[in-house]
Amino acid sequence: RYFAVERGVFQSQLTLISGLICLALGVFLLLRSDIVVSILPIVFGLFVIFDAIGRVQNALDLRRCGYDSWKGFLLLPVLSVVLGIILIFNVALSAVTLPIFLGFWLMLRAFGAIGLGSDMGAMQIAGSGWTIFSGILLLLCSLWILFQPLVFGTTAVIVWVGISLLFAGVAACSLSLQLHRAHRCLGDR
């Protein structure tokens, strides 16, 4: 029933898939950092674009359900697509500036998670605090990457990128579960 498609339902399957891919990429980065340096900008760019597709779906579902600020949730994926295209088509620049791109992308995801968690808390959906908490952890990781992108060096950036992707995966999975709970909660009203 989790993946059932019904009219007016928060469809969170792409958010869940995005979270699982984040978790897998984070584990892969931590385990195979030796081969990741050369392919990371392209893989990350493709992932950012895929993630944006899921975010567009969530924003459109929020609009269909009458959520007032769905346009704000639509702006974040548009910025993510621009970021993904830059990463894919400018690999030389991407390799140097990837930590900065990553920091901003993670910050966008963090703000989205914190905002949606707050809105779900206002709707009294149980467990919305975990979405806010994971968004705050993601925000802290993004700020750390942004404040010292070159100090850590390539290996440290890969480790922090891996850890940040793990947090992003947990945040996306938590958000997906919260969307599922919101569907059940709104279905009861």
Side-chain angles (χ1 to χ4, degrees), residues 12-107:
S12 58
Q13 58 267 35
L14 284 180
T15 304
L16 180 63
I17 292 169
S18 172
L20 295 175
I21 290 173
C22 268
L23 287 170
L25 277 175
V27 170
F28 180 73
L29 281 173
L30 293 173
L31 295 178
R32 294 300 313 257
S33 61
D34 54 333
I35 62 170
V36 170
V37 175
S38 60
I39 62 169
L40 188 60
I42 295 170
V43 170
F44 188 67
L46 290 172
F47 175 74
V48 167
I49 290 173
F50 174 76
D51 180 61
I53 293 169
R55 301 276 175 191
V56 167
Q57 179 198 13
N58 288 341
L60 295 176
D61 288 339
L62 289 170
R63 182 186 79 177
R64 208 174 343 189
C65 292
Y67 191 74
D68 294 333
S69 60
W70 67 272
K71 292 176 187 174
F73 287 100
L74 188 60
L75 177 64
L76 296 175
V78 171
L79 294 173
S80 291
V81 167
V82 171
L83 181 64
I85 290 171
I86 290 171
L87 287 170
I88 291 171
F89 291 110
N90 200 344
V91 177
L93 177 67
S94 298
V96 174
T97 60
L98 184 62
I100 296 168
F101 282 129
L102 175 74
F104 281 117
W105 178 72
L106 290 173
M107 187 180 290

Side-chain angles (χ1 to χ4, degrees), residues 160-179:
W160 278 108
V161 167
I163 291 170
S164 296
L165 284 172
L166 289 175
F167 280 134
V170 169
C173 290
S174 174
L175 175 61
S176 174
L177 294 174
Q178 289 301 315
L179 289 173

